[in-house]
Amino acid sequence: WFQDHLQDFLLLAIAIPLLIAFMLYRRFRKKSKYEVIAFFSRFPLVGYLLRLWNTYYISYQISQLLKNGHSLSECLQFVSEDPEQPFLQEAIGIVKEELLAGIPLALAVEKIEIWQREFSSVISHGQLTGNLDIELETYSQLCFDLFFEKTSSLLRKVQPILFVLIGLWILLLYLSFMLPSFQMIQYL
């Protein structure tokens, strides 16, 4: 039975991921980069890692710019112009709109769903103590460490599963080539 339906299984194994990729492409082709990242930030594991990385990036960049004597407004402008992170332009645009409306920075940052929730607490504490650059740098290092700790933990869990799946795949390929020859030997 398995040998008769092996081609069906292989076709499904290829068709399902292609179908999912096509559906995601159609859904997101007219969306901005920020909307795509915000969508994936809602998922449990991937979202947590995305938020950690994005929070690390923004807090590190702003802390370094603040250390060099730039104002917070200049820092936001510099970071939003980063060509490697186009979604930050939209996120920082939202923050700037909130700031112009008179909302404090810590509350404006809470509205951005691609950053960790604690980011606003770090900003408010840094503003209260007058050491925003130091607080952001420390927090960015914490996010960086957490990101790599979670990533390596995930890889340690996934790696054995991948090895087993690859081994089974090789075994199935071997059997699909050898079973016809064993059946021919049986008839001789």
Side-chain angles (χ1 to χ4, degrees):
W1 181 86
F2 180 74
Q3 185 180 5
D4 296 336
H5 298 287
L6 183 61
Q7 291 176 344
D8 297 336
F9 288 125
L10 292 175
L11 185 63
L12 277 176
I14 293 170
I16 290 174
L18 286 176
L19 182 65
I20 291 171
F22 178 72
M23 288 175 20
L24 287 174
Y25 170 75
R26 295 229 347 146
R27 178 182 173 121
F28 293 124
R29 73 178 161 185
K30 294 182 181 174
K31 304 265 185 191
S32 68
K33 299 275 188 204
Y34 175 78
E35 290 173 321
V36 172
I37 290 179
F39 174 78
F40 285 111
S41 292
R42 294 183 193 116
F43 289 102
L45 183 62
V46 174
Y48 179 69
L49 292 174
L50 267 174
R51 286 190 309 273
L52 268 177
W53 184 258
N54 290 328
T55 307
Y56 155 73
Y57 185 82
I58 189 79
S59 60
Y60 181 76
Q61 297 299 326
I62 291 176
S63 72
Q64 296 306 306
L65 290 168
L66 286 173
K67 276 186 173 183
N68 288 326
H70 295 285
S71 70
L72 191 56
S73 177
E74 290 174 330
C75 294
L76 292 175
Q77 185 63 35
F78 286 142
V79 173
S80 71
E81 294 172 354
D82 185 359
E84 293 180 17
Q85 307 287 340
F87 60 90
L88 285 179
Q89 186 174 13
E90 190 173 341
I92 291 175
I94 294 169
V95 170
K96 284 183 177 180
E97 287 175 12
E98 298 290 322
L99 291 174
L100 290 174
I103 296 175
L105 179 63
L107 293 177
V109 165
E110 281 183 359
K111 298 191 187 304
I112 308 299
E113 55 189 323
I114 64 170
W115 295 330
Q116 290 290 98
R117 296 285 166 234
E118 308 90 44
F119 190 39
S120 62
S121 301
V122 171
I123 289 174
S124 65
H125 185 265
Q127 287 177 327
L128 284 174
T129 60
N131 295 325
L132 184 58
D133 57 341
I134 295 170
E135 292 285 335
L136 286 176
E137 185 175 23
T138 304
Y139 184 63
S140 71
Q141 188 61 45
L142 174 70
C143 288
F144 187 78
D145 293 342
L146 275 174
F147 176 80
F148 279 103
E149 179 183 316
K150 293 292 181 187
T151 305
S152 63
S153 170
L154 179 66
L155 287 176
R156 279 194 304 272
K157 292 174 185 171
V158 171
Q159 188 179 23
I161 295 169
L162 285 176
F163 284 154
V164 167
L165 289 176
I166 291 170
L168 286 174
W169 183 260
I170 292 170
L171 181 66
L172 288 175
L173 285 176
Y174 179 75
L175 285 175
S176 70
F177 288 126
M178 295 306 291
L179 280 177
S181 52
F182 287 145
Q183 287 177 350
M184 284 177 56
I185 292 173
Q186 195 176 39
Y187 289 121
L188 293 178

